[in-house]
Amino acid sequence: MASFGWKRKIGEKVSKATSQQFEAEAADDKDLADEDDANWVHQTKRRKEVLLEDCVKRSKELKDEGANLAENRRYREAIHKWDEALQLTPEDATLYEMKSQVLMSLHEMFPAVHAAEMAVQRNPRSWDAWQTLGRAQLGLGEIALAIRSFQVSLHIFPMNPEVWKEDLSWARKLYEQQKATKTEAVQALANKIELAQESIPDYDFESDEIVAVCAAIAEKEKALSAAKTVVIVSASGTVETVTEKEDCPTTPDETLFIRAR
């Protein structure tokens, strides 16, 4: 029966020179592998950079094409170009701001406000984006919001005379007119309510005149109830009106007359 003993370690009979050579070759292979990994990472990074550069370059070309179309009043085509550019560079606030201006020219105020809001979200420090947002809000009648947007634009660029003298001044004028119109409407409604209340006479039901009128009406009703009018039609067709008193004991012969009240 075979007996089991300690297993001999692998490499006990391998010479030291062979071991050192093997370790050197392994180190060289490791260096080559590390170098290949580094090259792969670098190539991937470089490929992404080239792709991004191509996207930015193509986006700029589309932006310029859209600007030329917008200058020639070909607004729909310009929007189409800018939408293509936004697919390549979705964080470009300028594209949204330009799109908002063109949408306002097309009198599409809701999309214009949305595009301007996108521009402000992507670049809150853009004074022209805030200016465009204010103009779009003004087109919707949101005067208070427009004033705020113009104020933010001026806070970013205080020396801009266009926003100060034209946009903000006009918005404040509209706000004052709107406020005055609301005040006039409220005052007219109050006057109408007051006039309606004044048209209702305030009767004094305990005055002597009212008491006298009530007494006269009561006497008339009493007289009418005391005297009853009877219409009598005879068999031959003769019609006779008879006023009978409540205390009258006699009545016409019913065999000869037909009574109708």
Side-chain angles (χ1 to χ4, degrees), residues 39-221:
N39 290 334
W40 179 82
V41 172
H42 178 73
Q43 291 176 359
T44 303
K45 185 177 180 181
R46 180 56 186 166
R47 191 177 299 112
K48 289 181 179 180
E49 291 176 353
V50 172
L51 181 61
L52 181 60
E53 291 174 358
D54 292 341
C55 290
V56 172
K57 182 179 179 181
R58 179 55 183 162
S59 177
K60 187 178 183 305
E61 292 175 355
L62 291 169
K63 182 192 295 185
D64 295 338
E65 291 176 8
N68 292 329
L69 291 170
E71 290 178 358
N72 294 322
R73 299 181 182 275
R74 298 165 64 179
Y75 297 133
R76 295 294 180 187
E77 297 177 53
I79 291 174
H80 180 69
K81 293 291 183 181
W82 291 333
D83 285 338
E84 288 185 12
L86 285 170
Q87 296 294 324
L88 301 173
T89 55
E91 298 301 319
D92 191 344
T94 307
L95 288 170
Y96 284 106
E97 191 270 332
M98 296 168 68
K99 183 178 177 181
S100 178
Q101 292 188 52
V102 170
L103 288 169
M104 280 190 285
S105 299
L106 294 171
H107 303 287
E108 298 181 9
M109 294 305 174
F110 282 103
V113 170
H114 177 69
E117 288 176 345
M118 297 292 286
V120 167
Q121 290 176 6
R122 279 154 178 74
N123 187 8
R125 300 295 301 171
S126 174
W127 65 267
D128 50 350
W130 282 104
Q131 181 188 26
T132 302
L133 176 59
R135 290 178 175 178
Q137 291 168 336
L138 204 60
L140 279 182
E142 298 292 342
I143 302 176
L145 294 177
I147 290 175
R148 178 185 177 276
S149 297
F150 292 143
Q151 289 174 341
V152 174
S153 179
L154 277 175
H155 179 74
I156 299 171
F157 185 22
M159 302 305 294
N160 188 348
E162 184 180 17
V163 177
W164 178 261
K165 295 181 179 179
E166 297 181 11
D167 295 316
L168 186 58
S169 177
W170 173 246
R172 284 178 173 172
K173 183 178 180 180
L174 291 177
Y175 181 77
E176 293 298 329
Q177 291 178 354
Q178 185 185 54
K179 187 177 179 181
T181 303
K182 289 182 178 179
T183 303
E184 291 177 359
V186 171
Q187 185 63 35
L189 180 60
N191 293 338
K192 185 177 180 180
I193 294 174
E194 184 179 356
L195 181 61
Q197 291 177 347
E198 291 177 355
S199 63
I200 301 175
D202 187 11
Y203 292 109
D204 183 6
F205 293 98
E206 296 182 357
S207 64
D208 296 337
E209 292 82 0
I210 298 298
V211 172
V213 170
C214 291
I217 293 173
E219 289 295 332
K220 186 177 181 180
E221 292 291 334

